[in-house]
Amino acid sequence: MTSHEQLHKTLALIQLERQTDLEQYRQKVLLRPLSTRVKEGVTWYPVRLVRDYIGTGERIIIEVEKTNHLDQPHAFQSGKLVSVFSNASGTPQKHHLQGVINYVRENTMVITINSDDLPEWTADGMLGVDVMFDEMTYKEMEFALKSVIKAEDNRVAELRELLLGEKTESPLLPNSQPPTLNSLLNDSQQKALAKITASPDVAFIHGPPGTGKTTTLVESIRQTISMEKQVLVCAPSNAAIDLLVEKLSEKGIQTLRIGHPARVTEQTLSRTLDARIASHPHFSELRALRKKMEKLRGQAQKYKRNYGYHEKEQRRMLYDEARALKSDADILEFYIVNDLLNTSEAICCTLVGSSHPVMRGRKFKTVFIDEAGQALEPANWIPLLKSQRVIFAGDHQQLPPTIKSLDAALQGLSRTLFEKGIEKFPDHAHMLRIQYRMNESIMRFSSDYFYNSKLIAHPTVAHELLQANQSPLEFIDTAGCGFHEEQDKETLSRFNKEEASLLMRLVEQLIHEVGVETWIEQKLTMGIITPYSAQVDYLRHLAENSSLLESLQKLVSVNTVDAFQGQERDVIAISFVRSNEKGEVGFLADIRRTNVAMTRAKKKLMMIGDSATLGSHSFYSSLLDFVQANEFYKSAFEV
């Protein structure tokens, strides 16, 4: 297919994804009664308004608290768009107020309101909060794709043909300005820097787990800034971009975080545009103008409907003066924002966030895109419209983008620009080879299967064990135990109670072997991971009823594989769940998810599953061969 045909297909697929996402939202939220929505965790109701206050950037923040259904699992998380509503009797219609979640802590939710004033109806009680559908993300992706399709005789058209078209040449330049040697980087990381410096169009940092991708990326951004003065830095998620903001700031780089303050971590809040405006030398002047404007508006609104000519004139004059002050305030704010943008060295935002109004008309020589293996192709094109050159960093052997439409994923939406580019221009890619996280035995299978046996465990971690003479890896086989999977009727997610119980028993046994006091003193961490949300719920139930795990709750966490992406633990225990007579592995067929799960472990990896079911898939068959050949295999009957 030509580049235009590919982009038209991608546009159709993102529209299909939007329809699927919207339909799922309609089914979960719009078409269900309040009681069902509460039960399914897409609505909090009733909630109590605890307090309201002015936060960063003069925005109104409210704190609400659940007064019922206290232990109900829910879909609310930091950065999500929500609608606050009132069901108070006597109101002629249901009131709504949009906002963005700052954070959720147990039964408390803090929301930044998208309004200049807090409506009076919020004091009437009977409040609730609904999850909302995020329409804007799809609009920005569609707009970007259409712009790339239309591009002619410009840099966007060149990048389009380079990444998707028939153009197969992008010569690497001789290093007239070789990268500065950094003693903190290893040889593999230095080669990645050299590749970036030599690439005039596109380059790829391929960072397998634990290989220091972020460290390499930050250094390459630092060195690029020394030559270009300013760069654009993007990532698909708020969490990923906030991590980069933190790391870049630690290096003394002037960073500016574009995005809604509610979607930003506390550590990077001071770098946001709103916070930087508030600390600008001219902000006091801006604030004084706004206060005077509001005072004049308030005076004008005091005039009632029954007033004479002089009162009418007075009101008009007050409004005219308020409008003039608003115009002055807007000009001053425009100056402050542009001053901040012009003096920042790294402008950081999510991929979709790069379409923020303050970025309109801005151009960059280089854009860096982190976690590119998790970024939908249409989202990548948003910052690419503003850039001359792109540096991708990621790992296409880890988690792919999250896609709601199975049909769209199968037709190619799950294939990222990072994946396409790294295949087309292997000479422009460098894989980092030395990993600093895992014991060599834990690393070995992933290295052989996903990374052409090229990963090397650094001597500082290669032989690290939880305890002397303890095996770093164990596979517990439940074949023949009769541990059959079940399916949750509502969510259709799978769970396996017997497997979960055995895993918890083995986890407790391991903690006893190490010693609870040692565990606490050394602050050893453990992640109990499973791909299935229903199994997460059951494992959490078991953990909550374990007095041993209760005493270690800050050191032991239970969650899905996706929630552990980018994290690490001393010990990882994986429950594979699937156990059936047909040998169906379902969701587990996405082997990249299993790669993520296995490579979170530093000193010990414990896996539990049914070899009779798993062995029907070639990947798990290879994994079983590996554990047996290296004496990491045990039958559940032995433990």
Side-chain angles (χ1 to χ4, degrees):
M1 283 196 289
T2 65
S3 61
H4 282 87
E5 286 169 341
Q6 287 180 64
L7 287 162
H8 277 293
K9 183 183 177 184
T10 303
L11 181 59
L13 292 179
I14 204 67
Q15 288 166 345
L16 174 61
E17 170 69 1
R18 181 189 169 280
Q19 287 166 11
T20 305
D21 197 1
L22 180 56
E23 185 53 35
Q24 286 182 12
Y25 173 75
R26 278 169 49 79
Q27 295 294 336
K28 275 187 170 182
V29 181
L30 299 185
L31 302 178
R32 302 217 171 169
L34 184 57
S35 57
T36 308
R37 301 201 314 264
V38 170
K39 189 180 175 187
E40 294 189 350
V42 292
T43 297
W44 274 20
Y45 182 85
V47 299
R48 179 176 70 88
L49 181 62
V50 178
R51 63 182 180 129
D52 62 272
Y53 55 96
I54 303 296
T56 309
E58 306 287 288
R59 295 172 188 253
I60 296 172
I61 294 175
I62 64 168
E63 184 180 322
V64 297
E65 183 179 62
K66 250 201 275 194
T67 58
N68 211 336
H69 311 283
L70 300 183
D71 297 320
Q72 179 71 41
H74 59 79
F76 294 92
Q77 62 188 46
S78 172
K80 278 209 170 185
L81 200 62
V82 292
S83 170
V84 181
F85 64 86
S86 170
N87 261 357
S89 58
T91 51
Q93 60 187 41
K94 194 173 174 181
H95 292 294
H96 292 272
L97 184 63
Q98 283 192 20
V100 176
I101 298 173
N102 289 41
Y103 62 84
V104 183
R105 299 275 190 279
E106 296 177 348
N107 294 306
T108 302
M109 192 188 302
V110 174
I111 304 164
T112 298
I113 296 301
N114 295 341
S115 170
D116 293 335
D117 302 297
L118 194 61
E120 289 178 9
W121 56 260
T122 54
D124 296 340
M126 305 299 284
L127 299 178
V129 186
D130 278 332
V131 169
M132 282 193 70
F133 180 69
D134 189 3
E135 182 79 40
M136 191 52 65
T137 296
Y138 289 104
K139 282 183 177 175
E140 294 297 348
M141 288 194 285
E142 288 183 25
F143 177 80
L145 284 172
K146 288 172 183 174
S147 300
V148 177
I149 289 167
K150 285 190 288 187
E152 280 183 40
D153 302 323
N154 59 16
R155 185 58 175 159
V156 174
E158 287 175 7
L159 287 171
R160 177 190 67 211
E161 295 312 309
L162 192 70
L163 289 163
L164 300 176
E166 292 176 9
K167 189 174 179 183
T168 55
E169 285 186 18
S170 171
L172 292 169
L173 303 173
N175 273 328
S176 54
Q177 244 184 319
T180 312
L181 288 176
N182 185 325
S183 59
L184 298 175
L185 300 187
N186 62 45
D187 184 56
S188 178
Q189 292 167 331
Q190 295 283 7
K191 284 177 179 171
L193 283 191
K195 192 80 75 174
I196 289 165
T197 309
S199 301
D201 303 308
V202 60
F204 306 87
I205 302 173
H206 181 193
T211 53
K213 170 181 66 70
T214 303
T215 304
T216 310
L217 185 62
V218 165
E219 179 59 20
S220 99
I221 291 169
R222 192 186 70 77
Q223 294 198 20
T224 304
I225 287 169
S226 70
M227 293 181 281
E228 298 175 9
K229 307 303 178 197
Q230 189 179 73
V231 297
L232 178 60
V233 182
C234 296
S237 70
N238 286 293
I241 199 66
D242 283 343
L243 176 65
L244 277 174
V245 169
E246 214 176 308
K247 299 292 184 189
L248 289 166
S249 301
E250 284 171 8
K251 294 285 181 187
I253 293 165
Q254 283 294 315
T255 58
L256 181 63
R257 170 71 158 97
I258 305 293
H260 199 296
R263 293 189 167 105
V264 174
T265 61
E266 286 177 34
Q267 290 89 334
T268 56
L269 200 58
S270 64
R271 304 285 169 183
T272 60
L273 182 60
D274 284 22
R276 295 281 297 278
I277 289 171
S279 61
H280 193 275
H282 290 290
F283 179 69
S284 56
E285 194 182 331
L286 177 63
R287 197 170 191 177
L289 281 170
R290 282 179 176 161
K291 275 191 173 178
K292 195 173 177 185
M293 177 187 78
E294 288 304 320
K295 188 179 177 184
L296 289 167
R297 272 187 180 164
Q299 287 173 352
Q301 285 164 2
K302 283 178 184 173
Y303 289 97
K304 304 297 179 190
R305 290 188 176 226
N306 299 322
Y307 51 82
Y309 173 77
H310 291 295
E311 287 85 0
K312 190 176 179 182
E313 277 298 296
Q314 186 67 21
R315 186 185 188 197
R316 185 185 61 76
M317 285 169 64
L318 287 167
Y319 271 127
D320 283 349
E321 201 177 336
R323 272 193 289 271
L325 285 171
K326 184 182 184 304
S327 178
D328 289 346
D330 288 347
I331 291 167
L332 182 56
E333 185 174 6
F334 180 79
Y335 163 76
I336 292 171
V337 168
N338 278 282
D339 184 44
L340 290 169
L341 285 164
N342 292 334
T343 55
S344 296
E345 295 173 313
I347 295 177
C348 306
C349 52
T350 61
L351 295 165
V352 175
S354 63
S355 65
H356 194 286
V358 300
M359 301 282 278
R360 210 161 280 150
R362 294 216 154 243
K363 296 288 181 186
F364 300 87
K365 185 169 181 192
T366 303
V367 57
F368 289 85
I369 298 178
D370 194 16
E371 298 296 358
Q374 282 189 276
L376 285 169
E377 182 187 323
N380 279 303
W381 286 110
I382 301 171
L384 276 170
L385 288 170
K386 303 174 182 297
S387 311
Q388 298 289 308
R389 178 176 85 124
V390 57
I391 310 302
F392 293 101
D395 180 11
H396 51 300
Q397 302 296 356
Q398 292 190 63
L399 285 179
T402 302
I403 297 173
K404 303 280 177 71
S405 167
L406 181 61
D407 202 13
L410 292 173
Q411 287 187 58
L413 190 60
S414 62
R415 200 160 144 72
T416 63
L417 209 51
F418 179 79
E419 216 171 330
K420 291 176 183 178
I422 212 166
E423 282 178 18
K424 191 175 181 184
F425 296 107
D427 290 349
H428 290 244
H430 183 77
M431 188 180 93
L432 305 177
R433 295 184 59 186
I434 300 168
Q435 67 84 15
Y436 297 85
R437 176 183 296 161
M438 294 163 269
N439 178 290
E440 197 167 22
S441 297
I442 296 171
M443 174 200 79
R444 182 56 46 214
F445 179 75
S446 280
S447 176
D448 291 348
Y449 200 94
F450 293 101
Y451 305 108
N452 299 317
S453 304
K454 288 182 177 176
L455 288 189
I456 300 161
H458 191 265
T460 55
V461 299
H463 306 292
E464 275 281 288
L465 294 170
L466 194 64
Q467 246 187 340
N469 304 318
Q470 192 178 65
S471 174
L473 199 156
E474 284 180 289
F475 185 97
I476 314 300
D477 187 2
T478 64
C481 293
F483 292 180
H484 293 300
E485 67 187 68
E486 298 175 64
Q487 189 170 32
D488 186 292
K489 288 176 184 174
E490 286 191 9
T491 65
L492 303 182
S493 183
R494 309 272 171 168
F495 61 98
N496 190 322
K497 289 183 178 179
E498 291 92 344
E499 182 177 292
S501 298
L502 176 59
L503 181 61
M504 277 300 177
R505 181 162 64 80
L506 293 170
V507 161
E508 290 184 349
Q509 198 174 299
L510 178 66
I511 292 167
H512 278 303
E513 282 174 20
V514 174
V516 178
E517 286 183 9
T518 305
W519 202 278
I520 294 169
E521 281 168 18
Q522 295 182 12
K523 292 184 179 173
L524 296 170
T525 56
M526 179 188 291
I528 300 172
I529 299 185
T530 178
Y532 294 94
S533 58
Q535 186 77 336
V536 169
D537 292 342
Y538 191 69
L539 284 163
R540 281 181 178 161
H541 165 73
L542 293 176
E544 284 162 10
N545 288 288
S546 163
S547 56
L548 179 62
L549 292 183
E550 183 68 25
S551 64
L552 301 170
Q553 57 179 312
K554 289 184 178 176
L555 299 169
V556 179
S557 46
V558 183
N559 221 323
T560 59
V561 179
D562 298 47
F564 274 94
Q565 168 88 343
Q567 299 185 40
E568 61 185 26
R569 297 289 189 275
D570 292 303
V571 181
I572 288 290
I574 305 171
S575 168
F576 286 118
V577 178
R578 301 308 295 257
S579 179
N580 55 72
E581 291 173 3
K582 293 180 181 177
E584 291 176 348
V585 297
F587 192 44
L588 295 181
D590 187 351
I591 58 175
R592 290 177 292 184
R593 189 168 265 102
T594 304
N595 183 36
V596 170
M598 293 166 64
T599 54
R600 302 306 96 199
K602 293 162 70 176
K603 299 172 183 176
K604 187 171 182 70
L605 173 62
M606 189 191 298
M607 297 177 280
I608 184 165
D610 178 358
S611 65
T613 300
L614 298 175
S616 63
H617 190 284
S618 59
F619 168 79
Y620 295 99
S621 178
S622 298
L623 175 60
L624 289 162
D625 290 344
F626 172 80
V627 293
Q628 284 176 326
N630 291 278
E631 298 181 355
F632 298 137
Y633 173 92
K634 282 182 187 174
S635 166
F637 296 108
E638 295 175 56
V639 298

